[in-house]
Structure formats: C-alpha cells, structure tokens
Amino acid sequence: MTVGLDRAAAPRRTLRHRLADRGIDRTLWLVLPATAFVLVLFVYPFIYGLELSFQPLEGGGAFANYKEFFSDPYLRDTIWKTMRLALPAAVFNVAASVPVAYAMRGRVRGKRTITTLLVIPITLGTVLTAQGLIMYAGPRGWLNRTLTGLHLIDQPVVLVHNYTGVFLSLVITGFPFAFLLTLSYLSGIDPALEKAAATLGAGSWQRFRKITLPLLAPGLAITFTLAFVLAFSVFPSAQMVGKPTGATRVISIAAYDAAFQKFDYSMGSTIAMIMAVIMLIVIALVMVWRATLYRGATGGKG
Amino acid sequence: MSTMTRPVTEPEARTSPDATPRTRPRGWTVLLWLVVAFLFVNLAALVLSVVVDSFGTRWFGTWLPESFTTHWYADAWHEFALSHVLLVTLEVALAVVVVSVLIGVPASYVLARRSFPGKRVLMLLFVLPILVPPITYGIPLATLLYRWHLAGSMTGVILANLVPAVPFVILTMTPFIEQIDPKIEAAARMCGAPTRVVFTRILTPLLVPGILAACILVLVRTVGMFELTFLTAGPSSTTLVVSLYNAVFAAGIRANQSVDAMATIYTASMMVLLIVALRFVNPTQLVTRVREEPTE
Amino acid sequence: MTAGVSSGTSPAGPSTSRFAELRLEGVGRRYGAQTALEDFSLSIKGSEFVALLGPSGCGKSTALNCLAGLLPLTTGSIHLDDRRIDTLPPERRGFGMVFQNYALFPHMTVRKNIAFGLQMQKVARAEVARRVDEAVALVQLGEHQHKMPGQLSGGQQQRVAIARAIALHPPVVLMDEPLSNLDAKLRLEMRMEIRRLHQDLGLTTVYVTHDQEEALSMADRLVVLREGVIQQVGTPQEVYEQPVNSYVAGFMGYRNLIDVDVTGGDAEHAVVEGGGLRLTGANRGVRSGAAVAAIRPEDLVIGETDGNGIEVTVRIAEYHGRELSVEATTEQGRSIYFRTPERVAPGDRVVLGVPRHRVLVFGDASAAREAVRAGLES
Ligand SMILES: Nc1ncnc2c1ncn2[C@@H]1O[C@H](COP(=O)(O)OP(=O)(O)OP(=O)(O)O)[C@@H](O)[C@H]1O
Ligand SMILES: [Mg+2]
C-alpha cells in the first residue's frame, strides 16, 4: 500500500499514525488470499480474454473479430435472439414472483411447506427439465394427449424444440430464484407500514400500489439483475429444448462453438467479451434506474 | 430490556383483528393459488414423466409404458461410470466448499469489520464473478488452464468452480459477520487472545450456522454448475451434470431412458442436498443476506 | 509476553500497583475528516480511579479504545512508566476491559467466560480453577457460575463482565459506561461494588460515563471532555466547585445560565446585569461585554442574600421528598430553577437570593447551553 505524504501533518505523526488514519492495519492481510485468488482466476483470465479477442486467428487487424461478429448476421443475430429470450424470461419471473410472494407474506398457514415446494424446481437442473419438457409437452406427451382427449385441440401444440421450449425451461429454472429473492425483500418491509396505510383509509390495492411496491422496487431491481444473469447465460436448454441452429441460437452457443468446435479461442473470447459488455450495460441500466428510487430504510427487520 | 417485551403483546393482541384481513383469503389470492396449483401440477407431471420413462421398458404413443424395469439405472450406472462420476462430483464439491470457506471467510471478516481505501473497488471485484455469466470468463479461463496444463484435471475443475464460489461465500458471510457484536472480539483481545485464537475460539463457534449455510449453498451451486465444469473437465474429471449433458448428446447411440435415469439420479441427489440445506437455512433468509450486494 | 501481568498478587487486601504512571501524550484519533479525539494528554497514577466524563459523542469511548489498543492512534503515544505501549496490540497490553453491553462470549458458560483470559496466559489448569473461584466469589455469582450468559439478568451479566476483566489481575481496568444498561437501584449497588473492587484489588481504573453523579461519586479524578478536547482535569471537588468554563459548569449542574452583560467589578468579583436582573458573582475571567452567570438550583435560597435578589413567580413545583424542585420565571419571562424545602405553590411570588461566591461569571455563553442540553438528554 502506498501512502501519500501528508505535508500538513505534525512531525510527530509517524507512518504508523498515518496508516491508522486510513484504516490500514495488519488485519487487512486476511483479505489478501481472496483478492489474489480473484485477480489470478477472474481478472487475469478476463484481461487475457480481452487481449486474445484482439488477436484474430486470421489476422486482419486487432478489431477483425469484432468486425466479423457484427457483420455476420449469423453471429450478430445471436445477441438479438438471446435478448428476446432472456429479457421476457427475466421480466416474467420477477413479475410472477411478486403476487406469489405478496400472498405469502405475514403469517400464512403452511408457509414453509409452500416455500419449499416453490423452491424445489431449483434442484431439477436443466437436463431433467429439458427431458421432462420433451416427454411431457412433446407431441405424444401427456399434455397433448390430455388436450386432444378433451377435444380442446385437434393438432398437438408444438411446445418444444423452439422458442417456447427454451422460454418454459428458463421459467422453470429461474422462477424459484426470483421468488426467493422477492420473498426475502418483501419480508424486510415492516408490515406496520401497510397497517398504518389501512388506518388512513387505503384499500388493499392502494396499499400494495402506494406503499409496498415502491419499497419493494429497489429489491426488484436486484432480483431482475440476477434473474437476467441466469437467463442471459442460457446455454444447455437452448441446445436441448430449443432450435440451436435457428431461433434459439443464443450467444453462448456461438461462443462455445467458436472456442471449442472451431478451436478459434480468439473468436470465442471476442464473443465472451461482447457478452460481458452487454451484461454490464444491462446491470448499469438497472442500477441507474434503481438509483432514482427511494432506497432508505424499509422499516423492517432486515 | 426483556421486561419491555411483555406489555407490547397486549396492544398487539388488540390490533390483530385489524391484521386479519391479510390472512383472510381474498378473491385474487384464491385465483392466484389456483393458477399456482395448476402450474405446479403440470410441473409435477413433467417430472413424473421423466421418472416413469426411466423405469419403463418401451413407451410410445400410450399413456404409460408397456412394463416397468430398473435396468436403465443399472445400464446408466455402468455405461457412464456413475460411481466414478459421483465420486469425482463429491470430491470436487467438497474441495470447492473447503477452499472457498478458507479463503472467503477471512476476507468477509475484513470487509465486515474494516473500512479502508479501495474497499468499494474490492467489493465490486468480489461481486463481478457472480454478476457476469460464467461462460464469459469460463472460455478465457479454460484456455489459460490448457496453457497451464491444468485443464482436464481435477485441479482445473476445482479452480474454475472456485471462481464464483469464493465471492459467493464472501457475499453471504459478510452480512453474517456484521451482525456479530465486534465488542465480543474486542473483549477476547482484552483477555489476551491473539488474532488466531480470536478466530478459532470466539468467531468460529459463533459463525458456525452461517458457515454451514454458505457451505451447503456452495455445494448445491457447485454440483449444479454446468458451464465452468463443462469448459474445464476432461474424461477423468467429469462431474454428474457434465456427464449428464454428454449423455444427452450421445443419445443417438444410447437409450433415452438411460438419460432419464441419470437425470433422475441427479435431481434426487440435488433434492436431498436442498432439503438438508433447508433444515439449516430459512429459505427467505438465504437470499436476504446477499441482497445488498450489487449496490456496492 | 503479556505486558505487566503478574499472577503473584493476592486479590484480597490492597496490593500495591505494578506501575507508577500511565501516560498519554497528545493522543488523537481521526475518522476520515472528523476528529473524534484531539491532543489528549493525561497522566494516570497507579491505583488511581479516573473518570472520563462528557455528553454522548464527545469521544469518551474513542479515548478508552485508544488506551486499550482496540483503536490505533492517529497521533500521539502512550507510555506505561518508560515503556511505550501504543505500538502493542491490545492482547499484549494486558489491560482488562468491561464493555457497556457486557460483550460476554455467548457460547461459553459464566465460568468459561471468566477462565478465558487465564487460559490465554497459559495458566495451569488447577490455578485457573482457583482464580475463577476467587473471581466468582468476588462478584457473588456462585450460584450462577454454570449458566450461559443468555440466562442471566443484566446485573448478573455485568458482574460476569467485571469478573472476567479482573480475574487476570490486570494492572489497568478500563470500563466503558458499564452501568448504563442497568436500572437505577442496581446502578447504585454496582457503583459501590466497583469502587470496592477497585480499592480491594489495588486496581488502576479508567471509567467512562456520561453521568456526572456517577463520576463524582466514584472517581479520584475527573476528565471532562467536549468534542474530543479535554476541558478540565481535577478531583471531583475541584471540578464540581471550580469549573473552569461554562461548559464544565453546565455539565456539573449549574442549570441556571443567565445571559448578562458585565457592568463593573474587579478581578475577584463581577457585577453583571441583564434581563432586569443585577447580580454580583465570582469573576471567572471576564472583563466586560457579554457573559453568562451560572447558578446551581440548590444554591438559590428564598430571601435576598449578599445583595443578590431575583424576583420570580413560581410556575411548576415538583415534589422531591424533602424539598421541592421549582421552575419559576422572572418578570421578563426568563426561567429560573431552584430547590427549596419551603412549600411554594404555582403563582407564588418570591425573591431568591444567592451568595456571591455561588454565582460564577464566565465569558462563553453558547458552550454552557450546549452542556446543559447534553446533560439533560443523557
Ligand atoms: N467508526 C467510526 N467512524 C466514524 N466516526 C466515528 C466512529 N466511531 C465514532 N465516531 C465518531 O467519533 C465521535 C466520538 O465517538 P465516541 O464513540 O468516542 O463517543 P462517546 O463519547 O463514547 O459517546 P457515547 O456516550 O454515546 O458512547 C462521535 O462523533 C462519533 O460519531
Ligand atoms: Mg461510548
């Protein structure tokens, strides 16, 4: 740690005093292993990837990979295809989690059981979800058999190996996370606030709209960010229940193809960097929006 | 202090009729639960169809398979060397848990207790690996591990999985440590305890619930972590998720039921982990602790 | 290894202190731009009981934590006799400390809490047991010694905290508002107990409090702090009777602080006027111009005294057993507080008097107000 010389300081102030002034002491060594670890295994690979992305295999200048990515529609469109999946999925998961969590706040009978049931889908994993979707929602699955049996449809509905399949898979795996986060933010809001609003004559919808939702909004921003990260890195499900060569050729498939099918690490890194930038832009936008919201105490326990 | 709580209960009892409208089912709540129940039935059917298939012999265009058998499990077990794969999964997950706790807890201690120049930058550094998709750093990391001749080995898989695990431990443990009164540590120091003893005799016992929760969550995440393991694993260091994924893409030559059997094994083991986890962690608090992380 | 801790002294009977002087030289602590403690210099003699006194936020805990080693200094140094100790970590200074909210180890029984420090010193097991017994007996916790801290009342927890701090026979015991979480009666009992332990064990005690009564009754010497700066150091009597400025006066119970102008007098006495009053008081360093006259409620008597007479109307009379605590107003509407054994009632008009030497005339008015306010809030 470098410590700037403080000229105004009295001569009696030794280095020890100046370090103390900045809050530096021996305890800080404890943070060193973790810092070193993240620097070596996260920051360095990231910079390495960035460097690699500017060294295209086939030459053509530092930006050749980026130019190629944005000029080749097959590659460029993966951004759009990913966004088309990840944004609605994240929005849906967050939006759906709000009423469910809202109905669960306070003392609800069987709260723990219901929570557990709603969280269980986390354990399903992408493969079981994908297999299940193919089996259950496929043309000969129980769902289509039931629907045709009830004469609700004549033709089996196509729910897998297309956009819908991946979307459903993202909802099944992503909803429990969004729900858990929303529930914990919601339980951090003091229930007395809503009661206070009720004594002032606010109806239940008004209480939700004017009291709970504004207090919940910053938490929802974070929930959305995390839900979006999950959906944005969609990869296995896009392969298994989607159409990996067409409508659901998402950006991570492109990155993987480049790096490990064509062994063009440079292009693979380029796509990884583009993903990171998009992700960071989305996070930044959400955080900017969040900064405009009320962020103080929610009066609750947490 | 404790005497203060008693009189409070009385007015609370009086306000409870006021609170009942929240617990009395309203129209929208009933509708909501119907929708949730409907979706849940579908989800259960979805899982069931995989389980049924994994026990079925031949299932084509009927409600149920022709007959039931367990031989897909035996097949999968041998074909995919599941005993080896499970062992590897366990080893990787345990190694990741132990190392991430050893590295992460001291760091969270500093973040919880000290303010120092550059702290916000450091916090950001620790949040990023969780906020960016694993594949973005996974690809360059995998290429680096190939360079360092670590890719394909257990060490490589463990290192790659540690990248999100260490920040995860830091972000769950920091608020946990913050809520422990620093005066207790100060008291230990005043009793003559050096830093090492403060950690082993005072902090560790108090942190056990938090560490346990973090351990289980890291375990679940690592067992389920597909991307990073997929990018770094070799034939001898494949974990259950990756081997499952490989099975899916080799399904042309293998029976679909074997894949289902494997998926069932995977989900069953994850479910056991999660249910054990929920015994120690209140599911709502499990994320409350991470909640402020991206603001830093 | 452990500074200054010797295990030979007996806890029973006064033992001589193991050092002559604990000296703080220009100790300061900053938090970023804020200075919590500035140029704190103080010499504490062995076996002395020193109280740090001041309103909330004035830097008392900061001073104590600096002394303990829990907070690194940003200026200055600390010496125990000729040894510099501010470079040592807290565990090597060998001081004992009692915290405001006790800070007991929640996962250890009372006995284990008390034994912890001894174990850190690698004291032999039998000796640990003996000394824990001794400490438990000293604070009268015999029947609770196998309980966990959570099962004890506040007063019992406080005793455990004290026992834990003194079981090591530390040369210096630091106490940070140890009684502020207790009820009034228990507080009085514990005051005596702490003073008794201090004397019996020959401890050197540095005691932080915002309660001037507590400080006055317990300490050999008081240190009055204001915004991190020492205002006055002296015996209880000195500080009580001869406050050096209106801030200390306000903190020491001079509740009547009257804005006045100096109109005459000499080096010893000052004649002041203001708000329809004319008083003669002890001059505390004013020449002319604006000043403040400080008078304690209990120094005011009914009937003109020494030529000082204040005509007031009684507004509120609070019953305090032997006497009444009265708020009255002058004709100009200025509030005057006094105490009297006579039965006055709201609406009565009385003339109050005060001996000259009981009226202190200081130069700075605003500081005194602040002290009174802080004193009332705490
Ligand atoms: N960690 C910190 N960071 C920034 N400022 C601090 C910190 N700790 C204390 N301060 C500031 O330093 C000043 C002195 O604090 P200190 O705790 O010493 O007060 P105190 O006299 O003990 O008050 P109290 O009677 O309320 O305990 C206060 O103004 C406080 O706001
Ligand atoms: Mg304090």
Side-chain angles (χ1 to χ4, degrees), chain C residues 178-206:
Chain C
L179 306 186
S180 60
N181 286 359
L182 304 181
D183 67 50
K185 183 164 164 288
L186 198 55
R187 201 144 57 202
L188 286 181
E189 278 171 28
M190 291 299 292
R191 245 191 226 176
M192 302 280 245
E193 199 140 329
I194 289 174
R195 183 69 214 190
R196 178 175 62 80
L197 287 170
H198 167 82
Q199 279 166 357
D200 289 355
L201 303 183
L203 300 171
T204 305
T205 308
V206 181

Side-chain angles (χ1 to χ4, degrees), chain B residues 173-245:
Chain B
M173 288 309 290
T174 305
F176 196 90
I177 295 176
E178 267 167 4
Q179 64 167 23
I180 290 178
D181 186 359
K183 294 252 176 69
I184 291 177
E185 286 157 49
R189 282 186 187 278
M190 294 311 291
C191 286
T195 310
R196 187 179 48 78
V197 178
V198 173
F199 260 90
T200 53
R201 298 236 356 230
I202 305 296
L203 272 177
T204 311
L206 295 177
L207 289 181
V208 161
I211 292 183
L212 215 57
C215 280
I216 292 168
L217 292 175
V218 168
L219 196 73
V220 172
R221 280 177 61 108
T222 308
V223 173
M225 170 54 78
F226 169 73
E227 287 95 333
L228 290 174
T229 318
F230 180 62
L231 293 176
T232 49
S236 66
S237 54
T238 306
T239 64
L240 191 56
V241 239
V242 177
S243 127
L244 189 52
Y245 190 75

Side-chain angles (χ1 to χ4, degrees), chain C residues 31-32 34-37 54-63 100 176-177 208 210 225:
Chain C
Y31 292 106
Q34 190 195 2
T35 304
L37 192 67
S56 185
C58 69
K60 307 176 299 281
S61 299
T62 304
Q100 176 171 352
D176 192 352
E177 310 204 21
V208 161
H210 59 252
L225 276 173

Side-chain angles (χ1 to χ4, degrees), chain A residues 273-295:
Chain A
M273 291 305 126
I274 292 171
M275 280 181 80
V277 169
I278 295 174
M279 192 61 227
L280 292 179
I281 290 174
V282 171
I283 294 173
L285 286 179
V286 173
M287 288 305 138
V288 166
W289 174 69
R290 185 177 187 265
T292 64
L293 299 172
Y294 169 76
R295 268 201 359 214

Side-chain angles (χ1 to χ4, degrees), chain A residues 42-196:
Chain A
F42 177 74
V43 176
Y44 176 62
F46 221 101
I47 293 171
Y48 175 77
L50 197 63
E51 233 175 14
L52 211 59
S53 73
F54 290 116
Q55 294 161 3
L57 275 192
E58 278 115 40
F63 291 96
N65 277 335
Y66 290 89
K67 274 188 205 136
E68 188 190 334
F69 182 88
F70 286 105
S71 56
D72 180 353
Y74 193 56
L75 288 174
R76 188 185 55 212
D77 289 354
T78 56
I79 295 185
W80 156 241
K81 283 172 187 163
T82 316
M83 283 302 202
R84 212 166 65 102
L85 268 171
L87 271 181
V91 169
F92 176 88
N93 285 339
V94 175
S97 71
V98 173
V100 182
Y102 193 67
M104 292 270 300
R105 83 211 187 290
R107 256 166 282 144
V108 175
R109 227 173 334 125
K111 182 171 181 170
R112 201 158 175 135
T113 320
I114 299 176
T115 317
T116 310
L117 279 180
L118 288 172
V119 173
I120 283 282
I122 288 182
T123 64
L124 294 184
T126 357
V127 173
L128 189 122
T129 313
Q131 290 289 94
L133 277 172
I134 294 169
M135 310 268 330
Y136 174 68
R140 292 193 192 81
W142 285 341
L143 183 66
N144 274 313
R145 291 183 71 89
T146 312
L147 292 180
T148 41
L150 292 172
H151 299 292
L152 291 171
I153 50 171
D154 323 318
Q155 289 288 313
V157 282
V158 186
L159 294 174
V160 289
H161 296 305
N162 58 9
Y163 176 87
T164 322
V166 183
F167 185 83
L168 287 177
S169 158
L170 286 179
V171 169
I172 292 172
T173 44
F175 175 79
F177 272 111
F179 167 71
L180 266 185
L181 275 165
T182 310
L183 185 62
S184 58
Y185 281 114
L186 207 55
S187 41
I189 298 175
D190 189 349
L193 295 176
E194 252 195 70
K195 286 188 200 167

